[in-house]
Amino acid sequence: MKTIDELLAEGVSGKRVFVRADLNVPLAGSDITDDGRIRAVLPTVAKLAEAGARVVVASHLGRPKGAPDPAFSLAPAAARLGELLGADVAFAIDTVGASAKETVAALADGQVAVIENLRFNAGETSKDDAERGAFADQLAELADLYVGDGFGAVHRKHASVFDLPARLPHAAGFLIATEVGVLKKLSDDVKRPYVVVLGGAKVSDKLAVIDQLLGKADRILIGGGMAYTFLKAKGHEVGISLLQEDQIPVVTEYMERAEKTGVELVLPVDILASADFPDLKTKAPADFVTVDADKIPADKEGLDIGPKTRELYASKIADAETVFWNGPVGVFEHPDYAGGTSAIARALLNCDGFTVVGGGDSAAAVRTLGFDENAFGHISTGGGASLEYLEGKTLPGLAALED
């Protein structure tokens, strides 16, 4: 995989460099609530601009249905990128139309532009190779070189991620190089004890990675909505908690495998449960009870791990040499149910080993709850991409950069 340093050494001054970034930031109206992904691509964009490149930044945001939708415009992200760069950033109001062509043509050496949301064009996400390729051809007309730095999208076989690098000389940006280096530490050269914390809503989203980790991790700590399928598989009452009954046979088999292979698979011992899901807008105080994990009332749902589980999980993390955490362990968006996720984050901070926050909601939780990002070993920008890499899958966006 060619690096951006090699590209810079060859010279980029005066050349149009297409940077596939991940600017898929959360928005409240037009306000960005977490600019972590924009800051993550900043080193690549800044270095290219300093070297005299004419930088064309492109990304997706949200899931528009192949047509323009103002709710998913990249305009706020472009404005924020300009603030972080300390320079004007031009913005094209389309992807490959007149505005994009004119905006790119107007760039001087060292200037930066952002084109509108790639997913406003159906060709970006099309499953039809020809349609996707046609869009990639149009994007290729905007650039001389390609730099892939949108790690959060490399597991997608999309035009700007997979097809476009085949049409232009290409290299990996600083972010992708960093992310891949971290993932190799989690899969190829792991320092032990290796502890994995998995949360999130659906156990089905994590089955493949659990399958792989059962042969690699020393301990797997389970939290979040996915924990209730495990508890149900053990015969416990889970009330109205999130449950995927169809996954119980697989979960049961994984628990049996863990026991046979000596992997410590740890489940919650107590739960914060309520009859009502909390109001995440007003953050009104919640009415909940703390119960043992095998005594969840039939009319209540689990919404966070309890204090005993927090202590237990912290003790399982304390001596780890490597920790990978993906998925919050409770409804962290509400203060009454943020305690479990905060406890996991603090446990990682107190651990002397190499700690990785695996992107997605975990990264958002760390920032939302006010933790110092720099105190962790690494905070990934791509939860889905990280999981698929650890599952052993070939990621289209990385494969496209390797030749």
Side-chain angles (χ1 to χ4, degrees), residues 336-374:
D336 289 339
Y337 302 118
T341 300
S342 291
I344 297 297
R346 279 194 299 272
L348 265 67
L349 292 179
N350 292 332
C351 175
D352 292 331
F354 180 56
T355 57
V356 178
V357 180
D361 287 340
S362 311
V366 164
R367 298 185 183 105
T368 300
L369 298 174
F371 290 95
D372 179 6
E373 296 176 59
N374 297 319

Side-chain angles (χ1 to χ4, degrees), residues 237-305:
E237 170 64 61
V238 298
I240 56 173
S241 304
L242 282 173
L243 176 64
Q244 289 184 282
E245 287 202 62
D246 60 323
Q247 302 299 333
I248 287 177
V250 181
V251 164
T252 300
E253 191 237 320
Y254 283 2
M255 289 192 292
E256 292 170 353
R257 274 177 57 196
E259 189 171 356
K260 289 177 183 176
T261 56
V263 176
E264 195 177 354
L265 201 156
V266 190
L267 301 178
V269 294
D270 62 343
I271 295 291
L272 270 56
S274 175
D276 301 301
F277 195 82
D279 189 325
L280 301 183
K281 290 185 178 179
T282 67
K283 314 287 190 191
D287 180 19
F288 65 87
V289 294
T290 303
V291 297
D292 290 343
D294 60 351
K295 294 183 175 61
I296 300 174
D299 64 341
K300 290 181 169 55
E301 66 176 319
L303 296 168
D304 196 10
I305 57 172

Side-chain angles (χ1 to χ4, degrees), residues 185-329:
K185 286 186 180 181
L186 296 176
S187 54
D188 300 335
D189 186 24
V190 182
K191 292 185 178 179
R192 300 183 181 281
Y194 179 19
V195 178
V196 176
V197 185
L198 295 176
K202 294 182 179 180
V203 70
S204 56
D205 293 341
K206 303 288 172 37
L207 287 177
V209 77
I210 294 172
D211 184 41
Q212 288 293 315
L213 290 169
L214 282 173
K216 295 176 180 177
D218 296 296
R219 300 172 199 142
I220 301 175
L221 317 182
I222 304 292
M226 61 182 288
Y228 303 103
T229 301
F230 280 88
L231 292 171
K232 185 71 172 180
K234 290 178 71 70
H236 301 328
E237 170 64 61
V238 298
I240 56 173
S241 304
L242 282 173
L243 176 64
Q244 289 184 282
E245 287 202 62
D246 60 323
Q247 302 299 333
I248 287 177
V250 181
V251 164
T252 300
E253 191 237 320
Y254 283 2
M255 289 192 292
E256 292 170 353
R257 274 177 57 196
E259 189 171 356
K260 289 177 183 176
T261 56
V263 176
E264 195 177 354
L265 201 156
V266 190
L267 301 178
V269 294
D270 62 343
I271 295 291
L272 270 56
S274 175
D276 301 301
F277 195 82
D279 189 325
L280 301 183
K281 290 185 178 179
T282 67
K283 314 287 190 191
D287 180 19
F288 65 87
V289 294
T290 303
V291 297
D292 290 343
D294 60 351
K295 294 183 175 61
I296 300 174
D299 64 341
K300 290 181 169 55
E301 66 176 319
L303 296 168
D304 196 10
I305 57 172
K308 293 178 184 176
T309 306
R310 296 170 197 175
E311 290 183 14
L312 172 64
Y313 284 12
S315 72
K316 299 294 183 182
I317 292 168
D319 67 341
E321 288 293 329
T322 306
V323 185
F324 173 68
W325 170 31
N326 182 279
V329 296

Side-chain angles (χ1 to χ4, degrees), residues 10 23 50 91 96 116 118 146 215 232 257 297 349 370-371:
E10 294 170 358
L23 307 180
E50 287 169 13
F91 182 66
V96 291
E116 187 55 285
L118 292 164
Y146 176 94
K232 185 71 172 180
R257 274 177 57 196
L349 292 179
F371 290 95

